[in-house]
Amino acid sequence: MNLHPSAAAADQDENEPREECGVFGVWAPGEDVAKLTYYGLYALQHRGQEAAGIAVADGAQVLVFKDLGLVSQVFDEQTLAAMPGHVAVGHCRYSTTGSTTWENAQPIFRTTAVGTGIALGHNGNLVNTAELGARARELGLISGRLAGSLGATSDSDVMTALLAHAAADKSIEQAAMEMLPTLRGAFCLTFMDEHTLYAARDPWGVRPLCLGRLDRGWVVASETAALDIVGASFVREIEPGELLAIDADGVRSMRFANPEPKGCVFEYVYLARPDSTIAGRSVHATRVEIGRRLAAEHPVDADLVIPVPESGTPAAVGYAQGSGLPYGQGLMKNAYVGRTFIQPSQTIRQLGIRLKLNPLREVIRGKRLIVVDDSIVRGNTQRALIRMLREAGALEIHVRIASPPVKWPCFYGIDFASRAELIANGAGEGSFEDMVEGVRRSIGADTLGYISTEGMIAATEQPRSRLCCACFDGKYPITLPTEAAIGKNVLEGMLTGATETELLADNANASALSRP
């Protein structure tokens, strides 16, 4: 069942790359699995701030509680106390397919023809959603809605519907082994029925997913930092193309596809927590090493190295180490400016970045600054930041970026801007140097330097053949369909495009389905 939807959440800073989602699962009889999942999601909050949800099962039924907002806004002690069980899955969402509505919050719940409940959380983004959605519509599993409401319109809902349908005459495990090979794109899944926890990772391993051990159970999570917060010991990463089932018989591993590893390099640059480890490499150590390499590639005579907190901090530390220049905190971040249900007034909104960052004037006044940030997407944030630093008395501002120019959108779970909106595509004609000069002029920096792709990859200590760098080089490892068949609102378009007769027929079919 699902409990009380609420009002929509506020918009996030449109100039930042949007994270994907965080997933968490636990199988631990005798433990407070709802509270463990809450803490796990709290550790993964940076991966999605639009909605949060937890599903629990006690062997007899599956209970789902989800809502729009932060984990701490959705759940309280009373709610968690009303969710007993021995198995749970949790999810914190930023939408990459499907708009921000309560129906699209996760975990998604469906029932099979034999009455088994399935709750599923998904991190990533499929690229064959239109194809899967058409199949689900033909089977009567999803439908358009009249009166302007579409219900759930995410790729996660489609795959949950197809999984529940496949489980009509077979076990969830068998149904998953049948359904998972039909998915194309990035997916890390945690799902469950009344008894068993499942986890699956796409054959490319685009998004991270790991397995941890509790004294009395098991945990799966998007990042190792979530294992740490619940006291679980890291066991291993879930392999690309692997399905795990965890129940009273232990952990079972099945292979539904041959692995073709292409982990997202942007996880190292920005997405993952610095205290997480991916493919055996510390995210924090990677970012510090990127900073060192950035200092070697783009040195400049200056007085002080400062980060754009928090994501630019490790690279700024590395830059200071590599350059021998002093490191300082020139900007203070308001830790409580996250998502809010109170919209700022127009006057406050015009202040823009000042809601999040404020300069330490006595630190930066009269200084030649090296400002280190993780990436430039549209450039609006950097432009406002540089203006603010100059007003605070900085003599020179040299911007150094801990990733190459972002020139291509991501279709595997990061909601970047479109190609036309990415500043690196609109600044300068011709050479790479012309592009960098165009971006520099646009943001108002004295100099601008990006880490090279080779330097970034070397810092990860991973072979380039095992990394996806598509947002930097346009080489997509998973074949993309036509432009019309991908995009955040592909299912909304499919369902609203149906005729009224089709919608009525679909609604009649849907009424026969068991809904959460």
Side-chain angles (χ1 to χ4, degrees):
M1 62 183 291
N2 296 304
L3 307 177
H4 78 263
S6 75
D11 292 335
Q12 191 180 8
D13 182 353
E14 66 175 11
N15 302 314
E16 297 177 354
R18 313 294 182 93
E19 294 91 336
E20 335 89 330
C21 298
V23 295
F24 188 88
V26 56
W27 185 92
E31 299 285 356
D32 189 341
V33 295
K35 192 163 285 187
L36 284 173
T37 305
Y38 171 85
Y39 288 126
L41 292 180
Y42 201 87
L44 298 171
Q45 184 72 86
H46 61 288
R47 298 186 73 88
Q49 299 92 44
E50 288 188 353
I54 296 173
V56 297
D58 57 6
Q61 65 173 348
V62 176
L63 173 71
V64 180
F65 188 102
K66 62 182 184 178
D67 211 339
L68 299 177
L70 299 172
V71 176
S72 59
Q73 293 170 326
V74 172
F75 295 98
D76 55 27
E77 289 276 359
Q78 184 177 2
T79 303
L80 294 170
M83 302 180 75
H86 71 279
V87 58
V89 298
H91 188 269
C92 53
R93 182 174 194 255
Y94 174 73
S95 58
T96 49
T97 295
S99 53
T100 306
T101 64
W102 178 80
E103 289 82 2
N104 282 332
Q106 297 183 36
I108 300 290
F109 179 84
R110 291 273 182 161
T111 54
T112 69
V114 294
T116 301
I118 298 176
L120 178 145
H122 169 212
N123 171 29
N125 194 57
L126 301 183
V127 298
N128 66 333
T129 301
E131 171 195 331
L132 296 171
R135 185 187 311 164
R137 276 197 70 197
E138 290 172 4
L139 294 169
L141 305 176
I142 64 170
S143 63
R145 300 284 188 268
L146 297 177
S149 174
L150 287 172
T153 55
S154 68
D155 52 353
S156 311
D157 181 62
V158 170
M159 71 174 80
T160 309
L162 292 171
L163 178 61
H165 176 75
D169 56 356
K170 54 180 70 72
S171 69
I172 302 294
E173 209 166 298
Q174 292 169 327
M177 290 296 288
E178 178 182 294
M179 186 269 293
L180 291 171
T182 69
L183 309 180
R184 288 190 62 80
F187 58 90
C188 284
L189 308 178
T190 55
F191 57 103
M192 56 180 271
D193 59 15
E194 288 81 358
H195 306 278
T196 306
L197 173 66
Y198 301 92
R201 192 176 180 198
D202 66 76
W204 301 271
V206 177
R207 302 287 154 220
L209 190 64
C210 57
L211 174 68
R213 188 76 164 99
L214 294 168
D215 289 341
R216 296 191 289 180
W218 299 88
V219 172
V220 293
S222 291
E223 294 185 32
T224 60
L227 303 183
D228 298 335
I229 202 172
V230 300
S233 58
F234 173 78
V235 175
R236 65 177 177 87
E237 292 198 345
I238 294 169
E239 293 295 320
E242 183 181 22
L243 169 68
L244 290 185
I246 304 172
D247 58 18
D249 295 325
V251 179
R252 297 185 300 282
S253 171
M254 294 141 280
R255 181 74 65 183
F256 64 86
N258 292 324
E260 303 175 52
K262 285 291 182 181
C264 172
V265 74
F266 211 70
E267 292 280 354
Y268 290 101
V269 170
Y270 175 81
L271 297 178
R273 279 176 53 147
D275 52 338
S276 286
T277 298
I278 301 174
R281 174 65 165 158
S282 160
V283 172
H284 178 266
T286 299
R287 292 176 185 170
V288 172
E289 179 62 20
I290 285 176
R292 292 194 193 101
R293 291 175 179 272
L294 187 55
E297 292 183 10
H298 296 286
V300 65
D301 188 20
D303 303 311
L304 187 67
V305 180
I306 69 169
V308 178
E310 302 290 337
S311 55
T313 300
V317 169
Y319 194 102
Q321 292 174 356
S323 64
L325 295 170
Y327 169 88
Q329 288 292 136
L331 295 161
M332 292 302 298
K333 183 174 183 179
N334 184 344
Y336 300 97
V337 177
R339 299 191 61 79
T340 173
F341 288 96
I342 302 174
Q343 294 291 333
S345 67
Q346 180 62 27
T347 301
I348 296 297
R349 191 180 296 114
Q350 287 174 348
L351 296 178
I353 198 169
R354 292 182 188 272
L355 285 171
K356 291 188 175 183
L357 298 171
N358 202 35
L360 289 167
R361 296 174 189 273
E362 69 278 9
V363 173
I364 67 176
R365 186 181 296 116
K367 296 290 198 316
R368 298 169 299 165
L369 301 178
I370 297 171
V371 181
V372 181
D373 205 352
D374 61 271
S375 60
I376 300 179
V377 180
R378 289 181 175 89
N380 297 340
T381 297
Q382 287 79 12
R383 192 176 299 115
L385 176 62
I386 289 168
R387 186 183 310 118
M388 184 171 68
L389 290 172
R390 292 202 190 280
E391 290 171 357
L395 290 183
E396 297 175 7
I397 300 174
H398 306 277
V399 174
R400 296 297 179 263
I401 303 299
S403 61
V406 176
K407 302 190 71 173
W408 301 83
C410 176
F411 298 102
Y412 307 141
I414 310 172
D415 192 19
F416 279 128
S418 67
R419 280 209 76 194
E421 295 172 298
L422 294 170
I423 190 172
N425 289 322
E429 297 286 340
S431 70
F432 178 84
E433 290 74 18
D434 290 340
M435 180 276 295
V436 173
E437 175 60 17
V439 175
R440 184 201 66 77
R441 287 198 305 267
S442 177
I443 65 175
D446 291 290
T447 67
L448 171 63
Y450 292 90
I451 186 76
S452 66
T453 302
E454 294 72 23
M456 174 187 64
I457 291 173
T460 70
E461 297 186 350
Q462 306 298 317
R464 181 164 189 159
S465 62
R466 295 177 67 92
L467 292 172
C468 174
C469 303
C471 55
F472 304 122
D473 62 17
K475 298 176 182 177
Y476 294 96
I478 308 169
T479 304
L480 301 175
T482 61
E483 187 173 343
I486 53 179
K488 185 169 180 174
N489 300 314
V490 61
L491 287 175
E492 279 96 331
M494 178 189 299
L495 296 178
T496 55
T499 66
E500 183 168 323
T501 302
E502 289 173 325
L503 290 172
L504 290 169
D506 283 346
N507 283 332
N509 289 334
S511 66
L513 295 173
S514 176
R515 291 178 56 81

